[in-house]
Amino acid sequence: MNGIPTSHHPLPVRISSKAADLDAISPLLSDVHAAVGDVPALLDLAKAAAATAPKPGDGRTAFLWEILASVTAVDVAAGRVLEPHLDAVAILGQAAEKAAQDGGDFPDPDGADFEGTWGVFAAEAPGLRLEARESAGGWILQGSKPWCSLAAQLDHAVLTAHLETGGRAAFAVDLHAHGVGFANPEWTSRGLREIPSGTVHFEAVPAVPLGGPGWYYQRPGFAWGGMGVAACWLGGAVAVARSFTASLRQAADGGREPDQIALAHLGEIDRTLAALTAYLAGTAARIDAGELSDGGAWPEALRVRGSVAAAVERVQTLVSQNLGPAPLAFDERYGKRMADLALYIRQHHAMRDDAQLGTLTLTGSNPW
């Protein structure tokens, strides 16, 4: 196969919505298609999408995941831009609700203080530590945070920091504030090349606390956000599968019918993606029904993320085996998608996450 056919009219990824609802995503997908590789344009699209996109748990979680999957199916890096911005907006809303329940004050999430583009930085790395301490004038951040994707191009971030009393808490921070410094990331990756992740340094930078100690990880929205990332991975797998299907059709039109191995692999891909979309549809419905708003949310997130990550790797393997080296060598869009997706799914911790799920299964209940 010397090339992978591509569509100039990106199709949405369906999880459970009706066709008319999915049509509403089409203008965004066309805009994303035109903005591939242009990070500032993609960030502007993320801001615009956040104005109308549902938040997880608000009754349209499946549609939120369809937006994430559909954008990632157009371009994996575009999904990687959109997902943290939508997640941050959801986190701010959840923090505002928590403050209202506790009778405390919190800035308006839609107000001027929080305008602009957002990232979510919760990773840790050896030798780097970000600490938060409370002073007379409010909370102050001191130290360094690793794996801050696109930080120098963002306006704000939700991030986690260590507390003097132990544990970690989440904060909202203005990335334009005095005392914020960006290390030049030595980003040599061939995947997600336009999404460099470097270290950000904080020197007495003021920050707004979100939810209190431990809240960031304890809230059900942490699990819901993790499943939103899996929806992005699903979108990448759908794009790979679509390009494979189109290549087989193109070859058949040229007189070369697919052999049984290619058809068997396409059949496996079809049932894998059908099972995944059905699983995500059911999980989204459970979130909206309030069934995953307690301790059961995180085990379900581990199941969803593990299932999607394994499926993505399987789809990539099957398609690569069938198409061989030509599209990797000569088709820029195909090669970019495969490299972007391979790096993106490494956010899943594979057997370590399965071990965590096994521990939860051993010590608690399970759905089977």
Side-chain angles (χ1 to χ4, degrees):
M1 313 283 177
N2 293 323
I4 303 296
T6 57
S7 171
H8 295 293
H9 302 285
L11 299 174
V13 175
R14 181 180 182 274
I15 293 175
S16 63
S17 294
K18 297 179 180 179
D21 293 326
L22 291 176
D23 286 343
I25 304 176
S26 294
L28 171 63
L29 302 186
S30 296
D31 289 342
V32 168
H33 185 271
V36 169
D38 185 345
V39 171
L42 291 173
L43 286 170
D44 285 341
L45 290 173
K47 287 191 296 183
T52 58
K55 294 180 176 62
D58 282 357
R60 302 184 71 201
T61 300
F63 187 63
L64 168 64
W65 291 353
E66 286 164 338
I67 293 172
L68 292 170
S70 298
V71 168
T72 311
V74 175
D75 180 66
V76 175
R80 184 66 183 81
V81 171
L82 176 65
E83 183 278 324
H85 181 80
L86 294 186
D87 189 33
V89 170
I91 293 168
L92 295 173
Q94 293 159 12
E97 291 177 5
K98 176 71 162 56
Q101 292 170 0
D102 295 342
D105 295 326
F106 191 82
D108 179 3
D110 298 320
D113 290 343
F114 287 162
E115 284 183 350
T117 53
W118 286 79
V120 178
F121 308 144
E124 303 283 339
L128 296 173
R129 183 179 175 91
L130 180 63
E131 297 183 340
R133 66 176 186 271
E134 194 170 11
S135 67
W139 285 88
I140 299 296
L141 298 178
Q142 184 74 35
S144 301
K145 194 68 173 174
W147 292 101
C148 298
S149 300
L150 293 178
Q153 299 186 60
L154 300 174
D155 298 309
H156 305 273
V158 170
L159 49 71
T160 56
H162 293 266
L163 302 174
E164 293 178 299
T165 55
R168 282 178 287 174
F171 297 85
V173 62
D174 181 354
L175 294 175
H176 300 300
H178 179 73
V180 178
F182 305 99
N184 185 28
E186 298 178 2
W187 193 249
T188 63
S189 173
R190 295 300 183 266
L192 297 175
R193 297 190 69 170
E194 61 267 68
I195 317 290
S197 294
T199 298
V200 179
H201 303 292
F202 297 87
E203 182 71 33
V205 178
V208 177
L210 304 177
W215 172 83
Y216 177 83
Y217 298 101
Q218 295 164 0
R219 65 193 167 90
F222 180 67
W224 302 346
M227 288 187 262
V229 173
C232 291
W233 299 340
L234 171 66
V238 168
V240 173
R242 286 173 175 172
S243 67
F244 179 46
T245 305
S247 70
L248 295 181
R249 289 171 177 163
Q250 184 183 63
D253 291 341
R256 186 170 56 184
E257 295 291 336
D259 61 18
Q260 282 188 308
I261 292 176
L263 292 173
H265 284 174
L266 183 59
E268 180 180 340
I269 290 170
D270 174 81
R271 59 180 170 80
T272 297
L273 294 179
L276 279 180
T277 53
Y279 183 19
L280 285 176
T283 303
R286 292 180 64 202
I287 290 174
D288 291 334
E291 296 178 19
L292 295 175
S293 58
D294 53 19
W298 185 240
E300 195 62 30
L302 290 171
R303 295 183 193 106
V304 167
R305 288 168 62 88
S307 297
V308 175
V312 168
E313 293 188 305
R314 180 60 176 165
V315 169
Q316 285 190 288
T317 296
L318 293 175
V319 173
S320 292
Q321 288 177 349
N322 274 275
L323 298 184
L328 288 171
F330 300 113
D331 190 306
E332 182 178 359
R333 185 176 292 273
Y334 173 86
K336 180 181 188 301
R337 178 182 296 126
M338 296 294 267
D340 288 350
L341 191 54
L343 180 60
Y344 197 3
I345 61 169
R346 288 281 60 82
Q347 286 189 4
H348 180 246
H349 301 131
M351 286 185 287
R352 289 180 175 84
D353 278 359
D354 277 347
Q356 184 182 165
L357 180 58
T359 299
L360 294 172
T361 302
L362 189 64
T363 58
S365 60
N366 55 66
W368 37 269

